[in-house]
Amino acid sequence: MAIIGSIIKKVIDVTGSISDADSNVKENQLTVLKELLEKAKDTAFGKFYNFSSILESEDVIKTFQEKVPYFDYHQLNERWWQQLHEGSEDITWPGSPDYYALSSGTTGKTSKRIPVTEDMIDSIRQAGIKQVAALSNFDLPPDFFETEIMMLGSSTNLQERKGKLEGEISGISASNIPFWFKGYYKPGEDIAKIDDWDERVEHIAKNAKTWDIGALSGIPSWMELMLKKVIEHHKVENIHEVWPNLKVYTSGGVAFQPYEKSFNALLGKPITVIDTYLASEGFIAFQNRPETESMKLITDNGIFFEFVPFQPDYINEDGSLKQEAPVMSIEDVEEDVDYVLLMSTVSGAWRYIIGDTIAFTDKEKSEIKITGRTKFFLNVVGSQLSVNKMNDAIKELEEIYDIQLPEFTVGAVKIDNEFYHQWYIGSDSDLNVSEEEIAEKLDENLKNANKNYKVARGKALKGVKVTVLPLKAFYEWSGANKKKGGQVKMEKVMKEEKLQEFQEFVKDFR
């Protein structure tokens, strides 16, 4: 009998029942904002925007929104965070951060350097505890809580720069795991420090059978590659022949939906998939219950959220917000509407445009889904295609043709003065269908899913072209342009110049 597991499960069940108690998210958010303003009122940023007077106003949220503008990374970094890099303190948050999260996102090689304070480390840790407590809502046996967890993030070998440690947020988080958790954590500190992705995965594959992995955590694309390597190394049919007690996969970083079919093909039996939303700027949400694939916003943990309706009139060409764009607090949002997500945090980000778009699926439960990126919005000739619509259309193709299509990117091209959408789709499946038929069916799916797209197809958008590439082409592109593994994600929409670079890069993979 799993005695220790039974004890842990009992504690989690009790903690989970307390955590599930209804709370007032409006009051949570007001409290968080007041705490943020109070703590930062004597910083350079707090003095400039007079946080003290905001705190004394009758409507703190409204006054905060009137006095403080929207910021994207470049605006906040150039005006404020750059002073931190030069050694100044008390700029947008008291003191000076010990860490910087490096994030090139999906748009280029140049890394953003996002401050990560001790308050943020604590916020992420507290969010992790809330997520563990939520396991009480899932039907997991006691012996699951005695198995180990494979956290496939970026390297924990953080680099020192001017007295600060830098790395991706997953590496920073893993390097700060509690001492009591280290016995459960795999691949362990030595392997996790290996910078080279392929070398790290090779070590994981060699050691895999010595571990009793019950849970996986990481970005789907890189998790799939790791699982394939382990399966190949041990010459087995599926991962459960190596890790028979594997029961849970905690996904994150991107929507799991496009990877579901190819991921499940690596399993010997079904497992529970739990979505999380950890970004370089903070731990935002996690899946709280098995009845939904949506995630619950964490409204009482050092992050104040705001929401701008995601409409082309409010978005600049570079994905930033126009200052006149209207904003909503959490009590005013509507379900099934795309919003640009803004965050003010205990790392000194203020009204910060994280770059993601979300939609509320259940306002009462504060549950959301990620619908795309402000920059991953294909609006050439009015087509207004968001990433979630693209994901849905790709999933339909997988079901219709019984194939796996986990990766894609798309851009607008002009041929003989007419616009087309050029799709590059990644698949290692044995295709029983032509690229022309895939393009026709994809076009049909998008017309049915998006009225703006259907209108555009009847006017200026001439058609759809599809090129199918091996998955290696996408992974090598990511490796060449950024770095394999960790938080690196494939860009789903490319502008003309980037698409031309991609086309040149993948021509030998055809």
Side-chain angles (χ1 to χ4, degrees):
M1 180 179 179
I3 297 175
I4 297 176
S6 296
I7 295 172
I8 296 172
K9 179 174 171 59
K10 184 66 175 178
V11 171
I12 287 174
D13 287 345
V14 172
T15 308
S17 64
I18 296 171
S19 300
D20 279 345
D22 290 338
S23 60
N24 188 317
V25 297
K26 179 181 178 181
E27 289 182 4
N28 287 346
Q29 284 285 271
L30 178 57
T31 298
V32 167
L33 179 59
K34 286 181 176 179
E35 289 173 347
L36 293 172
L37 294 171
E38 181 65 37
K39 188 152 186 178
K41 67 182 181 182
D42 293 324
T43 64
F45 191 95
K47 291 176 180 177
F48 187 86
Y49 289 106
N50 204 348
F51 281 5
S52 293
S53 69
I54 295 176
L55 284 164
E56 293 172 359
S57 65
E58 291 185 6
D59 189 333
V60 172
I61 292 177
K62 182 179 179 182
T63 307
F64 173 68
Q65 292 171 339
E66 288 173 348
K67 289 197 170 186
V68 182
Y70 303 134
F71 288 93
D72 64 11
Y73 170 77
H74 299 290
Q75 293 162 339
L76 197 55
N77 187 61
E78 289 173 11
R79 176 65 179 85
W80 298 100
W81 285 345
Q82 187 60 41
Q83 298 174 61
L84 292 174
H85 306 325
E86 294 167 357
S88 298
E89 296 186 351
D90 301 327
I91 301 302
T92 62
W93 195 251
S96 177
D98 292 327
Y99 300 92
Y100 284 97
L102 303 182
S103 172
S104 60
T106 46
T107 54
K109 294 180 181 179
T110 304
S111 286
K112 301 174 183 176
R113 300 177 68 222
I114 299 168
V116 180
T117 62
E118 283 298 325
D119 289 319
M120 179 56 75
I121 294 291
D122 184 61
S123 172
I124 292 172
R125 189 180 293 119
Q126 292 301 317
I129 292 171
K130 289 174 183 287
Q131 184 185 9
V132 170
L135 291 175
S136 63
N137 298 326
F138 296 82
D139 186 21
L140 296 169
D143 60 3
F144 167 76
F145 298 97
E146 294 189 353
T147 58
E148 298 160 321
I149 178 170
M150 169 65 68
M151 296 173 64
L152 191 70
S154 52
S155 171
T156 58
N157 185 26
L158 306 178
Q159 303 301 307
E160 185 174 344
R161 179 174 173 181
K162 296 182 179 179
K164 309 297 181 180
L165 294 175
E166 298 184 342
E168 290 184 359
I169 192 63
S170 58
I172 294 172
S173 299
S175 66
N176 281 276
I177 60 174
F179 73 91
W180 54 264
F181 183 67
K182 291 185 178 181
Y184 296 93
Y185 165 60
K186 298 300 175 198
E189 294 182 57
D190 291 340
I191 296 176
K193 286 181 178 178
I194 298 173
D195 283 321
D196 183 85
W197 162 259
D198 294 312
E199 183 183 350
R200 197 181 335 145
V201 171
E202 187 68 38
H203 279 271
I204 289 172
K206 288 177 180 177
N207 288 275
K209 280 200 171 182
T210 67
W211 302 324
D212 182 18
I213 302 297
L216 305 169
S217 178
I219 288 180
S221 55
W222 304 113
M223 185 62 70
E224 279 194 22
L225 274 183
M226 184 274 288
L227 294 178
K228 287 178 180 177
K229 187 67 177 179
V230 173
I231 291 169
E232 176 188 332
H233 182 86
H234 294 281
K235 298 179 172 60
V236 295
E237 293 295 319
N238 61 71
I239 196 61
H240 276 107
E241 292 184 49
V242 180
W243 295 326
N245 294 317
L246 178 61
K247 292 182 174 66
V248 171
Y249 169 43
T250 302
S251 179
V254 296
F256 178 68
Q257 185 185 40
Y259 301 91
E260 184 176 9
K261 193 177 184 70
S262 55
F263 187 88
N264 287 342
L266 303 174
L267 308 177
K269 52 190 174 184
I271 65 174
T272 298
V273 178
I274 302 175
D275 258 328
T276 62
Y277 191 0
L278 171 63
S280 298
E281 295 82 3
F283 200 146
I284 296 167
F286 60 86
Q287 187 179 338
N288 189 52
R289 57 195 180 98
E291 300 87 359
T292 179
E293 294 179 353
S294 299
M295 296 173 288
K296 182 181 182 67
L297 270 182
I298 308 173
T299 58
D300 60 351
N301 191 38
I303 301 176
F304 177 72
F305 299 105
E306 299 174 85
F307 312 90
V308 173
F310 184 44
Q311 298 180 17
D313 291 345
Y314 304 149
I315 311 295
N316 293 312
E317 184 69 22
D318 61 1
S320 63
L321 283 175
K322 296 180 179 177
Q323 290 298 330
E324 64 269 21
V327 69
M328 295 181 180
S329 299
I330 196 164
E331 68 269 22
D332 301 318
V333 297
E334 299 177 9
E335 293 179 2
D336 301 319
V337 173
D338 283 358
Y339 293 102
V340 179
L341 182 63
L342 306 184
M343 295 166 50
S344 298
T345 78
V346 290
S347 272
W350 297 101
R351 309 200 77 198
Y352 183 90
I353 305 159
I354 190 174
D356 290 334
T357 61
I358 60 98
F360 281 81
T361 56
D362 190 320
K363 180 179 175 180
E364 185 178 350
K365 290 184 171 65
S366 300
E367 289 179 340
I368 64 166
K369 62 181 179 181
I370 303 171
T371 56
R373 298 278 293 171
T374 55
K375 293 182 179 180
F376 292 175
F377 187 64
L378 194 56
N379 195 32
V380 175
V381 296
S383 53
Q384 293 192 21
L385 274 183
S386 60
V387 171
N388 64 320
K389 295 295 185 186
M390 300 179 199
N391 286 338
D392 290 344
I394 290 291
K395 187 167 185 178
E396 284 190 56
L397 291 178
E398 291 184 319
E399 293 170 355
I400 291 169
Y401 298 115
D402 191 25
I403 53 179
Q404 299 168 16
L405 308 172
E407 296 287 358
F408 71 83
T409 192
V410 58
V413 296
K414 201 170 186 180
I415 303 173
D416 296 329
N417 284 324
E418 292 184 306
F419 282 104
Y420 292 81
H421 282 176
Q422 172 66 61
W423 287 72
Y424 287 91
I425 299 177
S427 179
D428 288 338
S429 297
D430 292 327
L431 299 183
N432 55 0
V433 59
S434 68
E435 292 176 336
E436 290 74 21
E437 186 176 341
I438 290 176
E440 184 178 336
K441 183 58 67 174
L442 179 60
D443 188 35
E444 181 183 323
N445 292 346
L446 291 170
K447 286 178 184 175
N448 292 335
N450 188 312
K451 63 182 180 181
N452 290 310
Y453 177 85
K454 187 174 183 179
V455 169
R457 280 289 289 111
K459 295 181 178 178
L461 185 60
K462 184 66 175 177
V464 172
K465 295 182 179 294
V466 166
T467 300
V468 179
L469 296 167
L471 287 173
K472 184 178 181 181
F474 290 82
Y475 300 141
E476 292 300 322
W477 165 261
S478 292
N481 281 266
K482 302 143 199 164
K483 189 177 182 181
K484 288 183 178 180
Q487 303 295 111
V488 173
K489 294 158 268 188
M490 182 67 197
E491 52 265 76
K492 299 300 185 184
V493 175
M494 292 185 179
K495 294 187 177 179
E496 183 178 7
E497 184 178 348
K498 179 61 72 71
L499 186 66
Q500 289 175 352
E501 291 178 19
F502 181 78
Q503 289 171 326
E504 181 64 26
F505 183 86
V506 301
K507 65 181 182 181
D508 293 333
F509 287 92
R510 283 285 286 156

